[in-house]
Structure formats: structure tokens, C-alpha cells
Amino acid sequence: MKAALLQISSSDDPAENLETVRVMMREAAGQGAEFILTPEVTNCVSSSRSHQKAVLQPESEDQTLAGLRAEAKGLGVWLLIGSLGVKSAPPETRFANRSFLITPQGEIAARYDKIHMFDVQVTETETYRESEGFAPGDRAVAVETPLGTVGMTICYDVRFAYLHRALAHAGAQILTVPAAFSPATGPAHWEPLLRARAIETGSWVLAPAQCGAHKISEGKPRRTHGHSLVVSPWGEVVADGGTEPGIVYAEIDLAQVARARAQIPVLTHDRQFEGPA
Ligand SMILES: O=C(O)CNC(=O)[C@H](CS)NC(=O)CCC(=O)C(=O)O
């Protein structure tokens, strides 16, 4: 199976981002991709809650979701929309950071709401308070598809090994980690975290990323780390998107999952233990 990770630099204008992704999807499908993936917050990268309140919609009215479902159907491809910021059902006033797996018929096969919130002061001048704007999810999601079983995560989730292990135990062979990783943490943390999740679960890791300086109309400037990565179940980086927008292709062979897990059967070696007291 050929996968294509779309590395983009989303603006805070959902209509513009939708058009960008549609054009890249056509290119990827033309190159034979059967599974196309987009990064976290594909529809809108913003640092302004008021702008998000003005442009983000409930899932049922979201034009990015509708447009990308139609595009997936038209091209006959599987699509992971890494995430969309969408309005939650009342009384929750915060958004959901929600990933969608779309079938080649344009149907929603699965949804996943990001569980771990990036509430972190990364440097003296750079602070993120994701949980002020987004309500965390509380349900892990693994979906069986003809491409393999997909375990869905988002960005900061990559730091929580137990989630990925739970997904692998539930049958996941492909872990998706769409991201908008910070430039402060990316250089030291992004690749080793992704490789660790692949190695310790013997899974493919597909991590489409936002990149560069985002064009935003209000609020503080935002930059993201880029480097969309494909990591094999043995932990090798087989493709790296660099720092510019573009498409990263990789051949995903599930036999490598079986091979890695047969060689190092850690998923069968979990133990129960007491303590620490
Ligand atoms: O707010 C949005 O627009 C969408 N969400 C994000 O960009 C999120 C929360 S600010 N970013 C991360 O999780 C980066 C994690 C990271 O960089 C790390 O773990 O080091």
C-alpha cells in the first residue's frame, strides 16, 4: 500500500486550506497513493480564540470535512484528516481537536478526539494552553481497514507511550500521529519519540506535520517544526518531509509489522507488577 503524507503550512483561513489539500490529494492520488494523510488542525492554525470562534464550525457544518470527504470519494482513496478544530456539542464551550478516518466511499469510518492537551511552557516566551481552547477526548480508537488496523493519535499524544501500547494491544499495525509540533521541542524530541513508539509496538508510524511560518491574520505568529515522518516497525525513518510544504510517499508493508513483532515480541512480554510503593 502506498501512503502519502501531505505536509502543509495551514493558514487561519479554512477555505484556503481546503483548496490546498484538495490540490495535493489529486497529485498524491495521481502518483498512486491509496492512503492520504493530513496534519493536525488542517482546517485552521491560529493563535486567536476569537478568530477560531468566528471560523470554526460544528462537525455537521464543517466545510473542510464535507469537502475532503467528497474529494476522498472522487479519488477513491482512504483519507486520514489529521485533525480539524470543530465546535463541540453544548454545553461544552471549547472546541474538539478531532481526527477523522474517511473511507474511499467518503464515509466517516472513525473519529478520535485528542486525549492529551499541550499545556506547556516550552520556553520563557513560548507557552501553549491547549486545554483552554480544546476539550480533551477520553476514548482511544483503533479501526480495522483493508489497509491494516489504524490506531489514531494526535501530536502531543506521542509523548504518552501507554496510549500507543494500548492501541497496539487492540490490534493497531499503523499508528497515525498527525502534528503541529512546536519549533522549541521539535529538533530534540519529534523524531526520537516517533521512533520509540514504532520500536516499542512494532508498528508503522505515519506522522504528517504542519510546517513553517503560518500565515495568520490575528494573534501571535506561529511556526511549526515540519518533518513529516514515516517510521518502519523496526524504527527506521523511511521518509522525512523536511521543512517545506510537500508530499511524502512511502510503501507500507504490513509483513514488516509481523516480522518486527516476531523478532522482538515485547507485546507478549508485558508483566503485571506491584508498586512502586
Ligand atoms: O492549537 C492548535 O492550533 C492545535 N493544536 C496544537 O497545535 C497542539 C496544541 S498547542 N500542539 C501540540 O500538541 C504540539 C506538541 C508539541 O510540540 C510537543 O509535544 O512538544
Side-chain angles (χ1 to χ4, degrees), residues 90-175:
E92 178 57 64
T93 56
R94 294 171 295 174
F95 306 105
N97 191 344
R98 184 169 296 158
S99 190
F100 296 88
L101 185 66
I102 308 297
T103 71
Q105 290 74 41
E107 298 303 323
I108 299 172
R111 299 170 172 76
Y112 164 72
D113 286 359
K114 186 179 185 180
I115 292 174
H116 302 94
M117 295 285 103
F118 193 46
D119 291 337
V120 178
Q121 172 148 14
V122 280
T123 66
E124 267 174 30
T125 56
E126 203 176 328
T127 302
Y128 297 85
R129 291 201 184 81
E130 187 172 25
S131 69
E132 282 183 3
F134 291 87
D138 55 11
R139 202 166 57 88
V141 178
V143 204
E144 234 180 279
T145 80
L147 308 176
T149 300
V150 176
M152 299 168 76
T153 80
I154 301 176
C155 200
Y156 187 52
D157 284 330
V158 75
R159 294 181 183 271
F160 299 86
Y162 62 83
L163 172 61
H164 299 77
R165 197 167 197 85
L167 290 167
H169 277 304
Q173 297 159 303
I174 300 170
L175 300 170

Side-chain angles (χ1 to χ4, degrees), residues 67-79:
L68 295 184
R69 286 178 64 180
E71 197 63 45
K73 183 177 179 179
L75 296 170
V77 295
W78 284 87
L79 172 67

Side-chain angles (χ1 to χ4, degrees), residues 228-241:
S228 298
L229 289 190
V230 177
V231 186
S232 77
W234 192 247
E236 289 163 322
V237 173
V238 301
D240 180 335

